[in-house]
Amino acid sequence: MKKLLRWILAIVVVAIAALIGGSLYLISYSLTPDRTMQAKNASTEADMRANYPLLGPWLDSLRTTGALRDTTILSAGGERLHAIYAAAPEPTDRTAVIVHGYTDNALRMSMIGYLYNHDLRYNILLPDLYYHGESEGRAIRMGWKDRLDVLRWMEVANPIFGGKTQMVVHGISMGAATTMMVSGEPQQPYVRCFVEDCGYTSVRDQFAKELKEQFGLPAFPLLDVASWLCALKYGWNFREASALRQVERCELPMMFIHGDADDFVPTWMVYPLFEAKPGDKELWIVPGAAHALSYRDNREEYTRRVGEFVGRYIK
């Protein structure tokens, strides 16, 4: 009997060790993918010019004239956070804060910067989220704590562009989830609307989907232990990082965009988000669009639809 109990205890200890080890690996794999981020940072300019040829002349012009500028703030933890910004071609109070996706950086959202600055004639500010681009940090935060930094960037953008702005926040992928998380917080009077493009319902939902697809594993118990360890290490957990719950609190208009061929942040996620949002809202399901490619593959229609939506609230 004692031998059997020792065997059972040993199996339990090994199982717990494996669960903790697997959870730590999941956190590292998801929140500190350093090689991927370094490669994307190094190739950003070339990738953007290749995928969006119209950006080259525009970026060159902004740089030549000194219109594209850098600014920094300190995070609540003392880390240096970076953003780029540019005034509109003509003086205006219309301003867009534009939020990038997972492992990306501010310049990888320059196509949306082009939409607002070149086409719609807005001022633009594009932050590097915590741990991304030229911003410091310990790990990716999947939009949850980033929402507080974006709120600060919104407060920075307002005085940069004259102090009486009318502002939209527009994010793609993780940046869209961040935008929705921002939307559930109390807003300043200058904030008028939000645009989210292919954001996830919650970090737990997105990680559960990836855990099943990439590793063939169920969410329980690995994801729950990883969430607990994330809270211990980084101060937030996967369940609280919910765009869905934040959208329920959003009092300002929001446009929802999602490609019907999105298999990374699956298209089904947009429907509960849209239903949860009270008040003014609009939904555009983009035929044939894969993840984060709705603008690239439908530039004219994307620009028209976004311009019409934000134009209802920003004059």
Side-chain angles (χ1 to χ4, degrees):
M1 179 62 72
K2 289 183 179 180
K3 186 175 182 180
L4 178 60
L5 289 175
R6 284 198 296 269
W7 273 106
I8 292 172
L9 180 61
I11 291 170
V12 169
V13 169
V14 169
I16 292 173
L19 182 58
I20 293 174
S23 299
L24 289 171
Y25 174 79
L26 176 62
I27 293 172
S28 175
Y29 178 84
S30 302
L31 304 183
T32 55
D34 293 343
R35 289 187 180 181
T36 296
M37 297 178 76
Q38 289 165 5
K40 290 179 77 171
N41 286 342
S43 66
T44 290
E45 186 91 13
D47 289 348
M48 297 307 293
R49 288 175 181 263
N51 290 322
Y52 304 92
L54 51 81
L55 292 181
W58 176 66
L59 287 171
D60 291 342
S61 175
L62 290 178
R63 287 169 173 154
T64 298
T65 60
L68 189 65
R69 301 182 179 184
D70 299 89
T71 187
T72 60
I73 60 174
L74 291 180
S75 73
E79 297 91 349
R80 176 183 170 275
L81 304 179
H82 168 263
I84 56 177
Y85 68 95
E90 303 87 23
T92 183
D93 62 356
R94 299 183 299 173
T95 298
V97 173
I98 301 167
V99 190
H100 68 75
Y102 178 75
T103 71
D104 283 339
N105 56 56
L107 198 59
R108 283 187 177 269
M109 282 292 280
S110 55
M111 71 289 194
I112 305 301
Y114 180 93
L115 181 159
Y116 281 101
N117 186 259
H118 180 275
D119 291 340
L120 301 183
R121 320 306 269 185
Y122 275 50
N123 309 305
I124 56 171
L125 184 142
L126 299 83
D128 282 324
L129 295 180
Y130 185 94
Y131 197 68
H132 291 77
E134 296 182 35
S135 289
E136 298 174 344
R138 298 173 60 206
I140 296 172
R141 304 190 297 188
M142 300 303 297
W144 183 237
K145 287 197 167 184
D146 299 304
R147 81 193 192 284
L148 305 177
D149 294 333
V150 172
L151 285 167
R152 292 189 61 207
W153 280 121
M154 294 156 69
E155 293 176 353
V156 168
N158 184 53
I160 283 178
F161 298 123
K164 296 181 180 180
T165 61
Q166 303 177 77
M167 187 176 296
V168 57
V169 182
H170 187 137
I172 292 181
S173 191
M174 188 183 80
T178 306
T179 297
M180 290 185 281
M181 292 169 183
V182 166
S183 78
E185 301 298 321
Q187 301 298 320
Q188 297 294 332
Y190 49 77
V191 185
R192 301 299 169 83
C193 58
F194 300 94
V195 179
E196 79 85 20
D197 181 344
C198 64
Y200 40 79
T201 48
S202 70
V203 172
R204 181 179 171 79
D205 288 346
Q206 185 63 27
F207 280 2
K209 176 257 181 190
E210 291 299 307
L211 193 61
K212 182 178 180 180
E213 288 188 357
Q214 294 194 42
F215 302 101
L217 295 171
F220 180 82
L222 187 62
L223 204 57
D224 299 272
V225 174
S227 178
W228 175 69
L229 292 172
C230 182
L232 289 178
K233 189 170 185 178
Y234 297 123
W236 64 277
N237 67 68
F238 302 162
R239 285 190 182 276
E240 70 179 328
S242 172
L244 186 62
R245 281 200 299 270
Q246 290 292 95
V247 160
E248 291 174 347
R249 304 185 181 104
C250 178
E251 298 179 353
L252 295 175
M254 182 175 295
M255 182 178 187
F256 297 80
I257 302 170
H258 219 109
D260 72 359
D262 193 337
D263 59 4
F264 185 69
V265 176
T267 308
W268 69 260
M269 286 191 177
V270 76
Y271 296 109
L273 289 165
F274 182 74
E275 290 300 319
K277 166 69 176 76
D280 292 352
K281 56 188 174 181
E282 181 176 316
L283 174 62
W284 179 32
I285 302 298
V286 186
H291 183 67
L293 297 180
S294 292
Y295 174 81
R296 191 197 71 178
D297 296 343
N298 304 270
R299 183 172 67 86
E300 292 185 3
E301 185 175 7
Y302 193 108
T303 301
R304 176 182 63 79
R305 285 178 176 265
V306 168
E308 290 175 354
F309 178 81
V310 299
R312 294 179 205 141
Y313 311 103
I314 298 177
K315 305 299 182 182

